[in-house]
Amino acid sequence: MAKTAEKLDKAAPQQAQPEFDTVDTIKKQKGQSGYQMKPSLDIIKQTYIQEMGDEKGYDDFIKKLASLLQDPNVKLVRFLNTMFLLMRVSEDTVETKIFSLDPPDFISMAIRDAAKMLKGFGFKKATSMSNLPIFVEIAQKTGLPVKISQSQMMMNGQAVPAYMFELDL
C-alpha cells in the first residue's frame, strides 16, 4: 500500500489539510443539533457491548482498563464522544483503541485531531485494530495516509477477523 500512496504523492500536489478545532465543533453541534456529551464510562460500556455483542465480561474489562491506566505510558484522551486509549509501545509508536458513540464523520474528525496531537508529542507512528468493518470507511474518511490490512484478534478466547490500521504521523 505504501508504494501506491507514494505514487499518488508524486502524481498530485500536496493539498493543505484544514485545521480542526474540537471545542469549536462541540459548540457548533450543541447549537445546531442538540449534540450532547456523554459520560466517559457510558462511551466505553456501549462500545464494549457493540464490539463484544453483549455485556458479558464488561466488569473484568473495566478492571483491566483501570489497571492499565496506572501505567504512565497509557493515557485516555477524549475528543467529543470519541475516546482514545493510547499505549506507548516504543519511543516513537503508540497503539490506540477507540471507544466512540459519535457518528462516523465525527469519529473521522476526532482521529485527525488525535493524529495532530500525537505528532505534536513526537510520535511517528500510530496503530490500531478493530473487528468492525465501519472503521475501514472511517479511516478512509480521515484523509490521512492510513495503511489498512486484514489481521486477526482474540475475542472471548477465539480468533476473529479484524482490520489493522497504521498511520505514519
Side-chain angles (χ1 to χ4, degrees):
M1 281 194 143
K3 291 182 181 178
T4 303
E6 288 169 5
K7 289 178 187 175
L8 289 175
D9 286 342
K10 292 176 184 173
Q14 282 282 45
Q15 294 181 351
Q17 291 291 323
E19 294 292 322
F20 296 96
D21 182 357
T22 305
V23 174
D24 186 49
T25 301
I26 292 169
K27 288 177 185 176
K28 286 179 184 174
Q29 291 307 315
K30 280 184 177 180
Q32 292 176 1
S33 65
Y35 185 88
Q36 294 182 3
M37 297 294 285
K38 305 289 184 187
S40 296
L41 282 175
D42 287 355
I43 295 169
I44 293 169
K45 185 173 188 175
Q46 289 182 35
T47 300
Y48 178 89
I49 292 169
Q50 180 182 14
E51 289 184 8
M52 301 303 281
D54 61 27
E55 214 174 302
K56 183 180 176 186
Y58 174 74
D59 290 338
D60 290 335
F61 169 78
I62 210 71
K63 288 176 188 173
K64 288 177 186 175
L65 179 60
S67 178
L68 261 178
L69 290 170
Q70 300 301 311
D71 184 336
N73 290 313
V74 178
K75 303 288 182 204
L76 199 53
V77 178
R78 180 176 176 159
F79 296 91
L80 303 172
N81 283 325
T82 299
M83 300 175 66
F84 297 88
L85 178 64
L86 306 172
M87 299 167 282
R88 179 186 296 260
V89 292
S90 71
E91 189 63 31
D92 61 356
T93 303
V94 64
E95 184 178 327
T96 66
K97 169 69 180 133
I98 298 173
F99 305 95
S100 185
L101 296 181
D102 282 326
D105 287 343
F106 284 21
I107 297 171
S108 294
M109 188 181 352
I111 290 170
R112 287 189 299 256
D113 286 345
K116 184 178 175 182
M117 177 196 70
L118 291 170
K119 186 175 182 176
F121 287 148
F123 288 104
K124 294 186 179 5
K125 181 184 277 191
T127 64
S128 190
M129 192 175 244
S130 177
N131 65 321
L132 301 176
I134 188 69
F135 276 100
V136 172
E137 180 183 327
I138 290 168
Q140 293 168 340
K141 282 184 175 186
T142 65
L144 298 170
V146 180
K147 297 173 195 163
I148 305 168
S149 59
Q150 291 203 312
S151 185
Q152 290 185 340
M153 62 191 293
M154 296 299 288
M155 292 183 65
N156 294 328
Q158 295 182 2
V160 297
Y163 300 94
M164 178 74 167
F165 303 92
E166 286 187 32
L167 174 62
D168 290 326
L169 300 168

